[in-house]
Amino acid sequence: MRSSKGFTFAETVAAFSIMMVITLAIYPALIEIRLEQKELAIERYAITTLQDQFLLQSESPSTYPYLISESNDYGITILFQKENQFIKGCAIWTSIEQEKQEVCLYALQEQ
């Protein structure tokens, strides 16, 4: 009998096959995670933009309802409305999956 040093072809093919099965099982989950990261980045941007607009609104009050369309890649529209003693600001955009998303913040109106 010969002493074998190293891997045989069958062992190499088996190891490669196992590695490919694991990779192909994980790949769809990685794609989904990347899409969710993009969605969360857009939502964070919308909330930050809405908060910035609230600060600008407090410096220069205007009549309500007040609409702002952002000219950016995300297509965020900001709408301010008066509700009782509150000012309601909503950021509206279309998600990557073509679903309408909306986030609203409220501020107490200064008298």
Side-chain angles (χ1 to χ4, degrees):
M1 287 194 148
R2 265 180 13 180
S3 71
S4 177
K5 294 182 181 178
F7 292 106
T8 64
F9 182 72
E11 290 171 327
T12 305
V13 169
F16 182 73
S17 298
I18 292 170
M19 188 174 67
M20 288 302 295
V21 167
I22 291 171
T23 303
L24 291 175
I26 292 174
Y27 188 69
L30 291 175
I31 291 173
E32 188 66 29
I33 289 170
R34 287 286 182 202
L35 285 175
E36 289 298 320
Q37 283 178 334
K38 289 178 184 176
E39 287 288 335
L40 287 173
I42 294 170
E43 186 173 346
R44 279 193 309 269
Y45 179 78
I47 292 171
T48 303
T49 304
L50 180 58
Q51 185 178 12
D52 291 344
Q53 291 298 324
F54 256 122
L55 292 174
L56 292 174
Q57 284 291 90
S58 66
E59 294 173 2
S60 60
S62 62
T63 58
Y64 298 101
Y66 183 70
L67 182 69
I68 302 169
S69 288
E70 287 283 316
S71 58
N72 56 31
D73 296 337
Y74 305 128
I76 297 171
T77 302
I78 297 175
L79 175 65
F80 289 100
Q81 297 175 345
K82 198 173 185 180
E83 288 189 359
N84 299 329
Q85 76 264 26
F86 296 103
I87 299 172
K88 177 183 177 182
C90 293
I92 305 160
W93 71 96
T94 303
S95 69
I96 294 173
E97 286 122 12
Q98 302 302 318
E99 296 175 358
K100 183 181 171 186
Q101 300 288 326
E102 181 177 13
V103 172
C104 296
L105 299 176
Y106 293 85
L108 189 58
Q109 186 176 9
E110 296 177 6
Q111 299 289 332

